[in-house]
Amino acid sequence: QSALTQPPSASGSPGQSVTISCTGSNSDVGGYNFVSWYQHHPGKAPKVIIYEVSKRPSGVPDRFSGAKSGNTASLTVSGLQAEDEADYYCSSYAGTNNLDLVFGGGTKLTVL
Amino acid sequence: EVQLVQSGAEVKKPGESLRISCKASGHTLNNYWIGWVRQMPGKGLEWIGLIYLRDSDTRYSPPFQGQVTISADESINTAYLQWSSLKASDTAMYYCARLEVVTGIPNYFDPWGQGSLVTVSS
């Protein structure tokens, strides 16, 4: 399966909102509501911030929100804060008997 | 609260074998899938494969099939990722993570281990 497509970089000033896209196909993002997003600060373990397209795990600020339209999922970070600067990865179920999963290439979010 | 603790950094030569580990603490994991994820230097995350600790049912991402072996020891809540003959291109950070599965469909990884850095160099 091919990796999901994310922009390599995104940026915004503190307090602004930024949206990161994640484009797949009918076989993954578009076919299932099992899209998740991970925040990865260098040197730390990745952390899930969105699952099932738009659900937030306990403890994740509501500044993070997810959505999906067709074959493209998106992550919006509102009210940007310095600590939001990190790499963000989307992931989706890829719909085979092998429990296939696929990740996006990652987006480096810079808080200006 | 489940925590996953991975084995430490390794420096190996091409052709050598290696097994890295991922041990769960805080809760038994025998009814969960554990996944392995690779991050090559400067690159993104890649799913390697999964193992169900209770019965060692194992699934591999196609690019990794035959390149690595995933195994587990349920009695000590530990999953393993191993190579029989390392290549320089295996140099990467490797993460393990628990996979939440909903009605048989993989949902998301949480929590993640801290990562094991594998360096393969002559």
Side-chain angles (χ1 to χ4, degrees), chain A residues 80-94:
Chain A
L80 272 174
Q81 299 182 5
E83 61 261 34
D84 298 333
E85 184 161 300
D87 296 319
Y88 291 84
Y89 295 90
C90 61
S91 178
S92 175
Y93 173 54

mmCIF file with all atom_site columns, all heavy atoms in Angstrom, chain A residues 80-94:
data_model
loop_
_atom_site.group_PDB
_atom_site.id
_atom_site.type_symbol
_atom_site.label_atom_id
_atom_site.label_alt_id
_atom_site.label_comp_id
_atom_site.label_asym_id
_atom_site.label_entity_id
_atom_site.label_seq_id
_atom_site.pdbx_PDB_ins_code
_atom_site.Cartn_x
_atom_site.Cartn_y
_atom_site.Cartn_z
_atom_site.occupancy
_atom_site.B_iso_or_equiv
_atom_site.pdbx_formal_charge
_atom_site.auth_seq_id
_atom_site.auth_comp_id
_atom_site.auth_asym_id
_atom_site.auth_atom_id
_atom_site.pdbx_PDB_model_num
ATOM 1   N N   . LEU A 1 80 ? -2.846  28.129 18.181 1.00 0.00 ? 80 LEU A N   1
ATOM 2   C CA  . LEU A 1 80 ? -1.505  27.552 18.202 1.00 0.00 ? 80 LEU A CA  1
ATOM 3   C C   . LEU A 1 80 ? -0.696  27.997 19.409 1.00 0.00 ? 80 LEU A C   1
ATOM 4   O O   . LEU A 1 80 ? -0.704  29.179 19.791 1.00 0.00 ? 80 LEU A O   1
ATOM 5   C CB  . LEU A 1 80 ? -0.748  27.947 16.936 1.00 0.00 ? 80 LEU A CB  1
ATOM 6   C CG  . LEU A 1 80 ? -0.883  27.053 15.702 1.00 0.00 ? 80 LEU A CG  1
ATOM 7   C CD1 . LEU A 1 80 ? -0.171  27.695 14.522 1.00 0.00 ? 80 LEU A CD1 1
ATOM 8   C CD2 . LEU A 1 80 ? -0.375  25.658 15.974 1.00 0.00 ? 80 LEU A CD2 1
ATOM 9   N N   . GLN A 1 81 ? -0.004  27.019 19.981 1.00 0.00 ? 81 GLN A N   1
ATOM 10  C CA  . GLN A 1 81 ? 0.901   27.293 21.081 1.00 0.00 ? 81 GLN A CA  1
ATOM 11  C C   . GLN A 1 81 ? 2.285   26.770 20.729 1.00 0.00 ? 81 GLN A C   1
ATOM 12  O O   . GLN A 1 81 ? 2.417   25.873 19.893 1.00 0.00 ? 81 GLN A O   1
ATOM 13  C CB  . GLN A 1 81 ? 0.385   26.638 22.367 1.00 0.00 ? 81 GLN A CB  1
ATOM 14  C CG  . GLN A 1 81 ? -0.972  27.133 22.807 1.00 0.00 ? 81 GLN A CG  1
ATOM 15  C CD  . GLN A 1 81 ? -1.452  26.507 24.105 1.00 0.00 ? 81 GLN A CD  1
ATOM 16  O OE1 . GLN A 1 81 ? -0.730  25.749 24.752 1.00 0.00 ? 81 GLN A OE1 1
ATOM 17  N NE2 . GLN A 1 81 ? -2.683  26.836 24.507 1.00 0.00 ? 81 GLN A NE2 1
ATOM 18  N N   . ALA A 1 82 ? 3.273   27.318 21.395 1.00 0.00 ? 82 ALA A N   1
ATOM 19  C CA  . ALA A 1 82 ? 4.654   26.942 21.085 1.00 0.00 ? 82 ALA A CA  1
ATOM 20  C C   . ALA A 1 82 ? 4.864   25.436 21.186 1.00 0.00 ? 82 ALA A C   1
ATOM 21  O O   . ALA A 1 82 ? 5.583   24.841 20.375 1.00 0.00 ? 82 ALA A O   1
ATOM 22  C CB  . ALA A 1 82 ? 5.620   27.689 22.006 1.00 0.00 ? 82 ALA A CB  1
ATOM 23  N N   . GLU A 1 83 ? 4.213   24.814 22.156 1.00 0.00 ? 83 GLU A N   1
ATOM 24  C CA  . GLU A 1 83 ? 4.419   23.372 22.362 1.00 0.00 ? 83 GLU A CA  1
ATOM 25  C C   . GLU A 1 83 ? 3.754   22.505 21.297 1.00 0.00 ? 83 GLU A C   1
ATOM 26  O O   . GLU A 1 83 ? 3.949   21.292 21.268 1.00 0.00 ? 83 GLU A O   1
ATOM 27  C CB  . GLU A 1 83 ? 3.918   22.941 23.743 1.00 0.00 ? 83 GLU A CB  1
ATOM 28  C CG  . GLU A 1 83 ? 2.439   23.173 23.985 1.00 0.00 ? 83 GLU A CG  1
ATOM 29  C CD  . GLU A 1 83 ? 2.196   24.438 24.774 1.00 0.00 ? 83 GLU A CD  1
ATOM 30  O OE1 . GLU A 1 83 ? 2.953   25.422 24.598 1.00 0.00 ? 83 GLU A OE1 1
ATOM 31  O OE2 . GLU A 1 83 ? 1.244   24.434 25.581 1.00 0.00 ? 83 GLU A OE2 1
ATOM 32  N N   . ASP A 1 84 ? 2.994   23.134 20.404 1.00 0.00 ? 84 ASP A N   1
ATOM 33  C CA  . ASP A 1 84 ? 2.392   22.380 19.303 1.00 0.00 ? 84 ASP A CA  1
ATOM 34  C C   . ASP A 1 84 ? 3.396   22.117 18.189 1.00 0.00 ? 84 ASP A C   1
ATOM 35  O O   . ASP A 1 84 ? 3.115   21.336 17.268 1.00 0.00 ? 84 ASP A O   1
ATOM 36  C CB  . ASP A 1 84 ? 1.187   23.124 18.726 1.00 0.00 ? 84 ASP A CB  1
ATOM 37  C CG  . ASP A 1 84 ? 0.081   23.325 19.744 1.00 0.00 ? 84 ASP A CG  1
ATOM 38  O OD1 . ASP A 1 84 ? -0.027  22.498 20.684 1.00 0.00 ? 84 ASP A OD1 1
ATOM 39  O OD2 . ASP A 1 84 ? -0.669  24.314 19.608 1.00 0.00 ? 84 ASP A OD2 1
ATOM 40  N N   . GLU A 1 85 ? 4.545   22.779 18.254 1.00 0.00 ? 85 GLU A N   1
ATOM 41  C CA  . GLU A 1 85 ? 5.555   22.557 17.219 1.00 0.00 ? 85 GLU A CA  1
ATOM 42  C C   . GLU A 1 85 ? 6.056   21.129 17.329 1.00 0.00 ? 85 GLU A C   1
ATOM 43  O O   . GLU A 1 85 ? 6.613   20.706 18.349 1.00 0.00 ? 85 GLU A O   1
ATOM 44  C CB  . GLU A 1 85 ? 6.714   23.542 17.375 1.00 0.00 ? 85 GLU A CB  1
ATOM 45  C CG  . GLU A 1 85 ? 7.757   23.417 16.265 1.00 0.00 ? 85 GLU A CG  1
ATOM 46  C CD  . GLU A 1 85 ? 8.629   24.644 16.149 1.00 0.00 ? 85 GLU A CD  1
ATOM 47  O OE1 . GLU A 1 85 ? 8.115   25.746 15.901 1.00 0.00 ? 85 GLU A OE1 1
ATOM 48  O OE2 . GLU A 1 85 ? 9.858   24.490 16.318 1.00 0.00 ? 85 GLU A OE2 1
ATOM 49  N N   . ALA A 1 86 ? 5.827   20.362 16.273 1.00 0.00 ? 86 ALA A N   1
ATOM 50  C CA  . ALA A 1 86 ? 6.120   18.930 16.272 1.00 0.00 ? 86 ALA A CA  1
ATOM 51  C C   . ALA A 1 86 ? 5.869   18.388 14.875 1.00 0.00 ? 86 ALA A C   1
ATOM 52  O O   . ALA A 1 86 ? 5.420   19.107 13.978 1.00 0.00 ? 86 ALA A O   1
ATOM 53  C CB  . ALA A 1 86 ? 5.221   18.195 17.277 1.00 0.00 ? 86 ALA A CB  1
ATOM 54  N N   . ASP A 1 87 ? 6.152   17.107 14.703 1.00 0.00 ? 87 ASP A N   1
ATOM 55  C CA  . ASP A 1 87 ? 5.768   16.407 13.476 1.00 0.00 ? 87 ASP A CA  1
ATOM 56  C C   . ASP A 1 87 ? 4.413   15.755 13.706 1.00 0.00 ? 87 ASP A C   1
ATOM 57  O O   . ASP A 1 87 ? 4.144   15.209 14.785 1.00 0.00 ? 87 ASP A O   1
ATOM 58  C CB  . ASP A 1 87 ? 6.799   15.340 13.128 1.00 0.00 ? 87 ASP A CB  1
ATOM 59  C CG  . ASP A 1 87 ? 8.163   15.931 12.810 1.00 0.00 ? 87 ASP A CG  1
ATOM 60  O OD1 . ASP A 1 87 ? 8.219   16.970 12.123 1.00 0.00 ? 87 ASP A OD1 1
ATOM 61  O OD2 . ASP A 1 87 ? 9.174   15.363 13.256 1.00 0.00 ? 87 ASP A OD2 1
ATOM 62  N N   . TYR A 1 88 ? 3.575   15.800 12.677 1.00 0.00 ? 88 TYR A N   1
ATOM 63  C CA  . TYR A 1 88 ? 2.245   15.214 12.769 1.00 0.00 ? 88 TYR A CA  1
ATOM 64  C C   . TYR A 1 88 ? 2.073   14.186 11.655 1.00 0.00 ? 88 TYR A C   1
ATOM 65  O O   . TYR A 1 88 ? 2.387   14.454 10.498 1.00 0.00 ? 88 TYR A O   1
ATOM 66  C CB  . TYR A 1 88 ? 1.166   16.299 12.664 1.00 0.00 ? 88 TYR A CB  1
ATOM 67  C CG  . TYR A 1 88 ? 1.147   17.200 13.883 1.00 0.00 ? 88 TYR A CG  1
ATOM 68  C CD1 . TYR A 1 88 ? 2.014   18.282 13.978 1.00 0.00 ? 88 TYR A CD1 1
ATOM 69  C CD2 . TYR A 1 88 ? 0.290   16.935 14.951 1.00 0.00 ? 88 TYR A CD2 1
ATOM 70  C CE1 . TYR A 1 88 ? 2.022   19.091 15.108 1.00 0.00 ? 88 TYR A CE1 1
ATOM 71  C CE2 . TYR A 1 88 ? 0.292   17.740 16.083 1.00 0.00 ? 88 TYR A CE2 1
ATOM 72  C CZ  . TYR A 1 88 ? 1.159   18.809 16.156 1.00 0.00 ? 88 TYR A CZ  1
ATOM 73  O OH  . TYR A 1 88 ? 1.170   19.603 17.277 1.00 0.00 ? 88 TYR A OH  1
ATOM 74  N N   . TYR A 1 89 ? 1.579   13.018 12.032 1.00 0.00 ? 89 TYR A N   1
ATOM 75  C CA  . TYR A 1 89 ? 1.378   11.923 11.085 1.00 0.00 ? 89 TYR A CA  1
ATOM 76  C C   . TYR A 1 89 ? -0.075  11.481 11.111 1.00 0.00 ? 89 TYR A C   1
ATOM 77  O O   . TYR A 1 89 ? -0.665  11.320 12.185 1.00 0.00 ? 89 TYR A O   1
ATOM 78  C CB  . TYR A 1 89 ? 2.249   10.727 11.454 1.00 0.00 ? 89 TYR A CB  1
ATOM 79  C CG  . TYR A 1 89 ? 3.729   10.971 11.337 1.00 0.00 ? 89 TYR A CG  1
ATOM 80  C CD1 . TYR A 1 89 ? 4.460   11.457 12.419 1.00 0.00 ? 89 TYR A CD1 1
ATOM 81  C CD2 . TYR A 1 89 ? 4.410   10.728 10.148 1.00 0.00 ? 89 TYR A CD2 1
ATOM 82  C CE1 . TYR A 1 89 ? 5.811   11.695 12.324 1.00 0.00 ? 89 TYR A CE1 1
ATOM 83  C CE2 . TYR A 1 89 ? 5.773   10.961 10.044 1.00 0.00 ? 89 TYR A CE2 1
ATOM 84  C CZ  . TYR A 1 89 ? 6.465   11.442 11.132 1.00 0.00 ? 89 TYR A CZ  1
ATOM 85  O OH  . TYR A 1 89 ? 7.805   11.678 11.023 1.00 0.00 ? 89 TYR A OH  1
ATOM 86  N N   . CYS A 1 90 ? -0.615  11.237 9.938  1.00 0.00 ? 90 CYS A N   1
ATOM 87  C CA  . CYS A 1 90 ? -1.929  10.613 9.871  1.00 0.00 ? 90 CYS A CA  1
ATOM 88  C C   . CYS A 1 90 ? -1.724  9.124  9.604  1.00 0.00 ? 90 CYS A C   1
ATOM 89  O O   . CYS A 1 90 ? -0.670  8.684  9.160  1.00 0.00 ? 90 CYS A O   1
ATOM 90  C CB  . CYS A 1 90 ? -2.804  11.235 8.794  1.00 0.00 ? 90 CYS A CB  1
ATOM 91  S SG  . CYS A 1 90 ? -2.164  11.090 7.111  1.00 0.00 ? 90 CYS A SG  1
ATOM 92  N N   . SER A 1 91 ? -2.749  8.362  9.907  1.00 0.00 ? 91 SER A N   1
ATOM 93  C CA  . SER A 1 91 ? -2.717  6.927  9.667  1.00 0.00 ? 91 SER A CA  1
ATOM 94  C C   . SER A 1 91 ? -4.129  6.460  9.373  1.00 0.00 ? 91 SER A C   1
ATOM 95  O O   . SER A 1 91 ? -5.104  7.051  9.839  1.00 0.00 ? 91 SER A O   1
ATOM 96  C CB  . SER A 1 91 ? -2.177  6.187  10.899 1.00 0.00 ? 91 SER A CB  1
ATOM 97  O OG  . SER A 1 91 ? -2.184  4.788  10.694 1.00 0.00 ? 91 SER A OG  1
ATOM 98  N N   . SER A 1 92 ? -4.243  5.421  8.574  1.00 0.00 ? 92 SER A N   1
ATOM 99  C CA  . SER A 1 92 ? -5.559  4.900  8.249  1.00 0.00 ? 92 SER A CA  1
ATOM 100 C C   . SER A 1 92 ? -5.516  3.385  8.113  1.00 0.00 ? 92 SER A C   1
ATOM 101 O O   . SER A 1 92 ? -4.498  2.808  7.732  1.00 0.00 ? 92 SER A O   1
ATOM 102 C CB  . SER A 1 92 ? -6.059  5.503  6.934  1.00 0.00 ? 92 SER A CB  1
ATOM 103 O OG  . SER A 1 92 ? -7.288  4.918  6.531  1.00 0.00 ? 92 SER A OG  1
ATOM 104 N N   . TYR A 1 93 ? -6.626  2.772  8.431  1.00 0.00 ? 93 TYR A N   1
ATOM 105 C CA  . TYR A 1 93 ? -6.811  1.360  8.095  1.00 0.00 ? 93 TYR A CA  1
ATOM 106 C C   . TYR A 1 93 ? -6.850  1.265  6.571  1.00 0.00 ? 93 TYR A C   1
ATOM 107 O O   . TYR A 1 93 ? -7.434  2.118  5.893  1.00 0.00 ? 93 TYR A O   1
ATOM 108 C CB  . TYR A 1 93 ? -8.117  0.863  8.696  1.00 0.00 ? 93 TYR A CB  1
ATOM 109 C CG  . TYR A 1 93 ? -8.525  -0.536 8.308  1.00 0.00 ? 93 TYR A CG  1
ATOM 110 C CD1 . TYR A 1 93 ? -7.654  -1.608 8.482  1.00 0.00 ? 93 TYR A CD1 1
ATOM 111 C CD2 . TYR A 1 93 ? -9.786  -0.800 7.789  1.00 0.00 ? 93 TYR A CD2 1
ATOM 112 C CE1 . TYR A 1 93 ? -8.032  -2.898 8.149  1.00 0.00 ? 93 TYR A CE1 1
ATOM 113 C CE2 . TYR A 1 93 ? -10.183 -2.086 7.463  1.00 0.00 ? 93 TYR A CE2 1
ATOM 114 C CZ  . TYR A 1 93 ? -9.294  -3.130 7.636  1.00 0.00 ? 93 TYR A CZ  1
ATOM 115 O OH  . TYR A 1 93 ? -9.678  -4.397 7.297  1.00 0.00 ? 93 TYR A OH  1
ATOM 116 N N   . ALA A 1 94 ? -6.196  0.210  6.041  1.00 0.00 ? 94 ALA A N   1
ATOM 117 C CA  . ALA A 1 94 ? -6.111  0.083  4.587  1.00 0.00 ? 94 ALA A CA  1
ATOM 118 C C   . ALA A 1 94 ? -6.913  -1.104 4.072  1.00 0.00 ? 94 ALA A C   1
ATOM 119 O O   . ALA A 1 94 ? -6.733  -1.511 2.939  1.00 0.00 ? 94 ALA A O   1
ATOM 120 C CB  . ALA A 1 94 ? -4.654  -0.013 4.150  1.00 0.00 ? 94 ALA A CB  1
#
